[in-house]
Amino acid sequence: MIKEFKCPTCGAPLDYKGGSDLTIRCAFCGTSVIVPEELRTASVPEPPAPDPAPRTLGQLPQWAEIAQLVRDGKKIEAIKLYRELTGAGLKESKDAVEKLAEGRVVEVANYAIILDQPNLTPADASQAEKIQRMGQLLQAGNKIEAIKIYRQMFGVGLKEAKDAVERLETTLGTPGAFDLHPPEVTTTTTRLTTTRTVSNIEPSGTSSRGCLIVVALLIVAAVVAWFAFNANGGDNRIVAFLRTLSPTETAVPTRVLPATEALPATPAPTDIPKPTATPELTDASILVGDRGTLPGQFNDARSIGLDEAGNIYVGEYVGGRIQVFDESGTFITQWRVGDENGFVRRMTVAPEGIAYVVYNGNILKYEGMTGDLLGQIDYDGGQGFQDVAVTAGGGLVATWNRDWQGGLFVNFNESQDDIVIFDAGGNVVNIIGKALSEAASGNAELDTSVAVDGSGNIYASGSLNPGIFKFSPEGKFLDKFGEEQAGYVQAMAIDFQSRLFASASGEILIFDAEGRYLDSIDASPGDMVFNEDDVLYTIDDPQVIRYVLNR
């Protein structure tokens, strides 16, 4: 008899045909899900307990090569070797190597193993006090505040922060865990909407210095964990982090895709007024906020768009469902992109209600209110698109990387973080080859967000390049700003005063037209969009939130 329950990761229904298996694999997202005990048809013996004292890979000679491959950023080779040593499948091996790269314990046979920690640079200790504070809060039973600090540090969502903090909580009291000394100094910091008090730990003496060293090791694990698991860019983030520990290592080679035709004449830019004051949040309200599969509910919603009538479009990452609401949040209709096994990486909506959806690496064009497919944006490079934005003239600006063909990671060694510019007819008019890695002299990028202002200036940011890069409409690199505030940028939006809003580091960061930091909003949405009245709409799964700002 088939029994059904849902995948905790993507919410898809799981068909379980009975048996004594502990787990079942989700056909939609690939997650291994533990079968509830009441559904199993036979008792399952308890597995042997792992070695209670985690051993480093260096202590297990046959694993030393895996440790070196992980440190060198050769994740694919590490996965292959892991499979040879354990006989595990590709998914299990990939998960295990990623855990090792972030400093987490992996259970193999009757051993619990962990990667030997690398040497640290002085910069790695800069967040040690916050890590210490998290440990102190966990010891005091205040997990909520610890989760808040983790979100501020790494810019992750609530679930990711909760999972990470709970993993840290399990290390308390074990060798190499938090060694806390709690003399506190209270300081006050003011943000756009709230005032919060943060306690800092002031180390003293030899014991405190030893504490900082241990805590710094945990920082490395936490930072790599965030970069390794966020937004499908694991390989690239691990490589970039390890590259910082080996300054003499040469850059990863990339290849420029040449432009396919000459540039057209550039129209005169629109005159955009500069902001006269720091924006002030006057109202915030939740328009839609339920999790589920019914109309008006969301599972893993990551994209939001608006048409000129004020209708709100929300796209779900897994399954390709697009829902449409009026400006008050009342459900209107819904439709699907492709089949239920595809991925909607990003969506943007033109004023006339045309939805451009990045689906499995392609840009598809839909009639927004009906879901009728109008065509596909042709590109000689093929699949590989990541983000897309509509220009004031009706054209498109999109980020592209060959490593995301079909929405799947292919090969970091051929990373190509291009920005492709289309006219209103869908024709390629310019390509900024390797926009962040070469044109702007940044790091090789796999995960690039994009936004366009009313003058046609292009703003791009990626998971491996702190800050925001600005390019002219012709593709010339102009400026970089926000390195101190913006780490991993999830999404960007530009209001009609040319102020740029970036969702990063657990906040919505606000910059003026010249790139000067103005303020922040305490929120971490996956996508954002402005209407013509400078009202900001965000999707912070499963909530659509409306923020009203002064003009």
Side-chain angles (χ1 to χ4, degrees):
M1 176 179 177
I2 296 178
K3 302 179 181 180
E4 183 176 293
F5 61 104
K6 291 185 177 181
C7 172
T9 300
C10 69
L14 302 174
D15 293 331
Y16 179 62
K17 299 179 181 179
S20 59
D21 291 341
L22 284 169
T23 63
I24 182 174
R25 185 174 300 282
C26 175
F28 294 90
C29 67
T31 300
S32 293
V33 181
I34 297 176
V35 177
E37 186 173 358
E38 62 269 21
L39 296 183
R40 303 173 199 161
T41 57
S43 61
V44 180
E46 290 293 327
D51 187 344
R55 302 188 180 189
T56 67
L57 291 183
Q59 292 173 318
L60 300 174
Q62 68 272 34
W63 293 81
E65 187 176 352
I66 290 182
Q68 189 59 48
L69 288 171
V70 173
R71 292 195 199 93
D72 292 343
K74 298 178 180 178
K75 181 180 175 185
I76 295 176
E77 290 86 343
I79 292 172
K80 290 180 179 178
L81 184 55
Y82 186 94
R83 295 187 69 183
E84 293 174 5
L85 289 175
T86 65
L90 177 60
K91 176 68 166 57
E92 291 82 357
S93 299
K94 179 176 180 291
D95 291 345
V97 169
E98 288 178 339
K99 287 181 180 179
L100 292 173
E102 66 159 329
R104 293 171 59 192
V105 174
V106 175
E107 295 181 7
V108 179
N110 289 336
Y111 293 99
I113 61 173
I114 190 169
L115 180 67
D116 312 62
Q117 298 293 350
N119 293 328
L120 301 177
T121 63
D124 294 322
S126 61
Q127 295 178 333
E129 291 183 357
K130 288 185 179 179
I131 292 287
Q132 284 185 300
R133 178 59 177 160
M134 288 167 56
Q136 185 182 27
L137 289 168
L138 289 174
Q139 285 189 325
N142 195 343
K143 185 185 297 184
I144 294 177
E145 285 300 318
I147 292 172
K148 289 182 179 178
I149 292 176
Y150 191 93
R151 292 190 69 185
Q152 293 167 12
M153 291 175 62
F154 303 115
V156 300
L158 179 59
K159 183 180 185 304
E160 293 90 338
K162 178 176 179 292
D163 292 344
V165 168
E166 287 177 346
R167 288 196 299 270
L168 292 176
E169 187 178 26
T170 63
T171 70
L172 292 175
T174 63
F178 297 99
D179 179 16
L180 303 173
H181 302 276
E184 298 184 4
V185 177
T186 302
T187 59
T188 303
T189 57
T190 304
R191 295 185 180 173
L192 188 62
T193 58
T194 60
T195 300
R196 56 177 66 175
T197 300
V198 181
S199 297
N200 296 321
I201 309 302
E202 186 175 302
S204 61
T206 305
S207 176
S208 295
R209 286 195 298 272
C211 171
L212 284 178
I213 293 174
V214 171
V215 168
L217 293 176
L218 293 175
I219 294 173
V220 175
V223 171
V224 175
W226 161 236
F227 284 133
F229 287 102
N230 186 69
N232 299 322
D235 297 71
N236 198 15
R237 297 182 182 96
I238 293 173
V239 171
F241 170 74
L242 295 173
R243 186 183 292 121
T244 65
L245 302 180
S246 303
T248 59
E249 185 175 343
T250 56
V252 176
T254 53
R255 183 171 65 85
V256 175
L257 183 68
T260 57
E261 54 186 276
L263 290 175
T266 303
T270 306
D271 192 14
I272 298 178
K274 296 180 180 179
T276 56
T278 298
E280 178 184 352
L281 179 62
T282 60
D283 181 62
S285 57
I286 299 173
L287 299 183
V288 183
D290 291 328
R291 185 172 299 283
T293 58
L294 298 176
Q297 298 178 336
F298 307 114
N299 274 323
D300 202 9
R302 302 188 190 183
S303 300
I304 189 168
L306 295 173
D307 63 23
E308 60 187 0
N311 297 311
I312 306 166
Y313 300 72
V314 178
E316 295 181 39
Y317 179 72
V318 177
R321 184 170 64 147
I322 309 294
Q323 297 188 64
V324 186
F325 306 84
D326 67 16
E327 59 184 355
S328 67
T330 301
F331 175 81
I332 298 176
T333 187
Q334 65 181 355
W335 43 275
R336 286 193 182 274
V337 178
D339 57 46
E340 295 186 2
N341 295 320
F343 300 91
V344 173
R345 184 169 177 81
R346 190 67 89 189
M347 173 188 65
T348 189
V349 180
E352 64 273 19
I354 301 299
Y356 295 92
V357 183
V358 179
Y359 177 78
N360 284 358
N362 296 308
I363 301 177
L364 304 181
K365 183 178 180 181
Y366 289 88
E367 172 58 51
M369 294 300 290
T370 64
D372 293 337
L373 179 63
L374 303 178
Q376 178 174 319
I377 303 301
D378 293 327
Y379 184 57
D380 291 342
Q383 293 176 317
F385 287 104
Q386 302 170 311
D387 196 4
V388 62
V390 176
T391 68
L396 298 175
V397 175
T399 57
W400 182 91
N401 195 308
R402 70 176 71 256
D403 287 336
W404 289 104
Q405 294 174 8
L408 301 174
F409 181 82
V410 178
N411 186 354
F412 173 73
N413 292 328
E414 296 182 1
S415 175
Q416 188 158 334
D417 46 309
D418 293 350
I419 294 177
V420 185
I421 304 171
F422 300 88
D423 63 17
N427 303 305
V428 176
V429 296
N430 193 13
I431 297 172
I432 310 174
K434 299 182 181 178
L436 301 191
S437 58
E438 289 193 359
S441 301
N443 295 317
E445 186 60 66
L446 284 178
D447 190 9
T448 309
S449 299
V450 69
V452 184
D453 67 18
S455 297
N457 295 309
I458 301 166
Y459 299 82
S461 186
S463 59
L464 297 178
N465 289 277
I468 297 163
F469 298 81
K470 181 178 180 180
F471 299 84
S472 71
E474 299 79 23
K476 179 183 178 182
F477 173 62
L478 299 177
D479 193 14
K480 179 183 180 182
F481 58 88
E483 299 98 316
E484 295 182 1
Q485 296 86 12
Y488 169 62
V489 175
Q490 300 181 75
M492 294 181 289
I494 300 174
D495 69 8
F496 283 79
Q497 299 183 57
S498 202
R499 296 181 298 206
L500 185 141
F501 291 62
S503 176
S505 307
E507 300 174 302
I508 300 177
L509 306 169
I510 308 172
F511 301 88
D512 69 9
E514 304 303 319
R516 291 182 290 263
Y517 173 72
L518 298 176
D519 217 318
S520 67
I521 300 173
D522 190 8
S524 184
D527 197 13
M528 306 182 289
V529 64
F530 277 98
N531 69 7
E532 293 185 354
D533 295 323
D534 280 343
V535 176
L536 178 65
Y537 292 80
T538 73
I539 179 68
D540 195 345
D541 185 57
Q543 296 178 337
V544 175
I545 304 176
R546 177 173 58 194
Y547 297 92
V548 179
L549 300 150
N550 71 328
R551 302 201 62 171

